[in-house]
Amino acid sequence: MKIIAVNAGSSSLKFQLFEMPSEEVITKGLVERIGSNKAVFTIEVDGEKVVTKTPIKDHKVAVSMLFEALSKHKIIKDLEEIKGVGHRVVQGGEKFLESTLITDEVVEEVRKLNPLAPLHNPANIIGIESFRKALPNVKQVAVFDTTFHTTMPRENFMYATPYEWYEKYGVRKYGFHGTSHQYVSERAIELLGREESKIIVLHLGNGASLSAVLNGKSIDTTMGLTPLEGIPMGTRSGNIDPAILGLVQQEENLSLTELLEVLNKKSGYLGVSGKYTDNRDIVAEMNNGCDRCKLALDIQIKRIVDYIGSYYVLMGGLDALVFTAGIGENSWEVRELICNKLEVLGVKLSEKKNKTRGLEEINCCESKVKVYAIKTDEEVMIAREVLRVK
Ligand code: AMP
């Protein structure tokens, strides 16, 4: 049975077509700059990327192009072969505790959550609506970034702000990257050989978050009401003293929206280094003597280690540390810098294993804590959910 996993952004649409339940990837691709004359449609055919540059008016057109390409390249014979579509939805609020079969009512409920995720949910809904129009009789499932973190106890998800903000506006911590945290923690549980476990997941990509996973359930995570909270990232600041906003607002005469834009898009690696958002550039330039690149990385590592210490205490120990996403999977330097600060917790990284690509277990034999580098796969998780949800 063929299932598509979809991740729709405001001007983009990522897709991956699976044969399920074998989880074989049949094809994948990406439509970028939707809504412009310079849109780019990329699809993999027999392992080769086929790129088409053409104006694409909206997501609906992007979806029809996708279906045309699937037939043209003989990837499928008939649209009828597609038996399910899974949509990534960023914010599920307190309403969606599980992946959910999409109906008109569900779309309306997701829409009600737009104020909590104004940059993401409206785009996710456009993706859902485009696929529902194109495949009206096919099962469609919403898979939420927040679901995995809905098991956090309230003292971990509440802010110490006026309680009415929570009641009236839903001000609380939701957490994100849930599909990835779930996927890699399930794999870590398999590797450990037991569900009863204390795991810290480090999802380190351009966006980055950590989670404390106790016995397979998320009990804390670093991102909050929005993805801005937590550790510094490629362009996000992570936690700051909110009073900074008042000072800079006065000095630079910026609006709150503009300030939040700076914290989301011009901070983190970019803000501190003044130049780079990509971890590879930061590490390379640090090695070339760029002091602010070193500082950008030092701050991030310091904050990551702070959270690890706090989650260690929260769970009363640690069985495994799991690195994932672009940086976590690929950067032996970042893994080494973090683990070197964790010897006090019994973490001992194997220098050789850490530098061997594709190895999942990278700790020394005598390490008290397992260290894993696990490739995340949010798309396969979405496809699995489409199969599972009735
Ligand atoms: P993601 O958001 O998961 O796609 O991750 C993006 C981040 O992963 C960027 O900061 C990249 O620098 C980093 N990254 C991707 N590939 C590598 C690699 N081979 N080595 C080091 N970092 C990488």
Side-chain angles (χ1 to χ4, degrees):
M1 154 191 328
K2 293 185 175 53
I3 286 176
I4 307 188
V6 177
N7 184 354
S10 55
S11 64
S12 67
L13 187 93
K14 271 194 214 156
F15 58 88
Q16 201 153 326
L17 179 68
F18 290 92
E19 185 63 51
M20 295 298 282
S22 69
E23 301 185 353
E24 178 207 345
V25 178
I26 303 169
T27 184
K28 60 183 170 183
L30 169 68
V31 195
E32 292 163 286
R33 298 197 211 154
I34 298 173
S36 88
N37 284 334
K38 292 187 179 155
V40 186
F41 178 92
T42 309
I43 185 164
E44 251 184 52
V45 181
D46 299 326
E48 299 280 316
K49 281 190 179 147
V50 179
V51 180
T52 315
K53 292 185 180 162
T54 173
I56 299 181
K57 189 170 81 166
D58 54 25
H59 285 72
K60 205 167 149 241
V61 175
V63 172
S64 356
M65 273 190 79
L66 162 62
F67 291 146
E68 272 166 35
L70 291 177
S71 319
K72 187 173 110 193
H73 297 295
K74 303 194 171 49
I75 296 167
I76 55 170
K77 289 196 198 85
D78 194 320
L79 280 186
E80 300 265 302
E81 287 173 49
I82 300 171
K83 300 293 184 209
V85 184
H87 297 270
R88 176 187 184 204
V89 179
V90 166
Q91 178 57 273
E94 290 187 334
K95 172 82 191 171
F96 294 103
L97 305 181
E98 279 213 77
S99 302
T100 304
L101 193 64
I102 298 174
T103 59
D104 291 345
E105 292 72 39
V106 167
V107 174
E108 282 322 301
E109 288 298 331
V110 173
R111 211 186 296 281
K112 284 188 197 155
L113 298 168
N114 282 356
L116 292 177
L119 301 179
H120 296 101
N121 270 31
N124 300 151
I125 293 173
I126 292 172
I128 291 174
E129 287 180 332
S130 309
F131 275 88
R132 287 185 85 206
K133 281 211 182 89
L135 301 170
N137 301 318
V138 172
K139 173 184 185 185
Q140 314 230 1
V141 172
V143 181
F144 301 91
D145 256 33
T146 45
T147 296
F148 184 59
H149 302 301
T150 55
T151 44
M152 288 191 283
R154 76 178 177 165
E155 66 274 25
N156 295 0
F157 72 66
M158 285 298 290
Y159 295 111
T161 47
Y163 194 77
E164 297 74 27
W165 292 4
Y166 169 62
E167 292 176 312
K168 286 195 214 158
Y169 316 122
V171 170
R172 51 158 283 180
K173 188 186 244 222
Y174 293 95
F176 299 92
H177 295 137
T179 316
S180 172
H181 285 271
Q182 183 177 358
Y183 180 84
V184 297
S185 56
E186 282 179 6
R187 175 68 187 140
I189 283 170
E190 248 174 55
L191 291 169
L192 285 169
R194 58 178 197 280
E195 176 89 17
E196 202 179 293
S197 53
K198 296 163 179 166
I199 295 171
I200 296 176
V201 175
L202 297 89
H203 175 109
L204 305 178
N206 190 34
S209 65
L210 273 65
S211 66
V213 182
L214 182 64
N215 305 330
K217 297 206 166 14
S218 170
I219 60 162
D220 206 351
T221 190
T222 56
M223 283 181 167
L225 175 79
T226 76
L228 186 52
E229 192 181 343
I231 60 168
M233 314 173 203
T235 63
R236 292 193 189 112
S237 63
N239 296 347
I240 61 161
D241 177 347
I244 293 170
L245 296 180
L247 175 85
V248 181
Q249 183 175 37
Q250 260 190 353
E251 296 292 337
E252 300 208 350
N253 201 18
L254 293 176
S255 69
L256 189 56
T257 311
E258 287 167 329
L259 282 168
L260 286 174
E261 173 101 356
V262 175
L263 294 182
N264 270 302
K265 304 228 167 104
K266 295 187 179 151
S267 299
Y269 288 160
L270 179 60
V272 179
S273 74
K275 224 170 169 180
Y276 306 105
T277 60
D278 193 299
N279 176 267
R280 282 167 291 199
D281 295 330
I282 291 282
V283 171
E285 291 305 314
M286 174 179 83
N287 293 335
N288 282 338
C290 168
D291 187 51
R292 273 170 54 181
C293 297
K294 177 171 170 5
L295 180 62
L297 195 59
D298 283 349
I299 300 173
Q300 189 191 40
I301 303 275
K302 194 269 175 202
R303 304 284 188 86
I304 289 173
V305 172
D306 284 351
Y307 273 113
I308 292 174
S310 133
Y311 289 170
Y312 182 96
V313 174
L314 180 69
M315 293 193 287
L318 182 61
D319 297 314
L321 209 54
V322 182
F323 288 93
T324 193
I327 301 170
E329 290 164 25
N330 295 300
S331 171
W332 64 263
E333 293 95 337
V334 169
R335 292 192 300 251
E336 189 175 280
L337 286 166
I338 294 171
C339 289
N340 282 350
K341 292 187 183 284
L342 299 175
E343 282 189 17
V344 66
L345 305 184
V347 174
K348 269 195 147 230
L349 194 66
S350 153
E351 207 182 317
K352 188 162 164 227
K353 288 181 191 165
N354 184 38
K355 289 181 183 165
T356 311
R357 278 204 164 266
L359 260 194
E360 283 187 313
E361 185 174 327
I362 54 174
N363 51 274
C364 288
C365 310
E366 68 268 27
S367 181
K368 287 194 195 128
V369 177
K370 298 281 187 196
V371 184
Y372 299 131
I374 297 177
K375 192 169 166 7
T376 194
D377 196 337
E378 288 159 283
E379 288 74 21
V380 88
M381 203 68 197
I382 292 175
R384 284 180 195 170
E385 287 297 271
V386 175
L387 269 195
R388 194 182 62 80
V389 169
K390 297 286 170 238

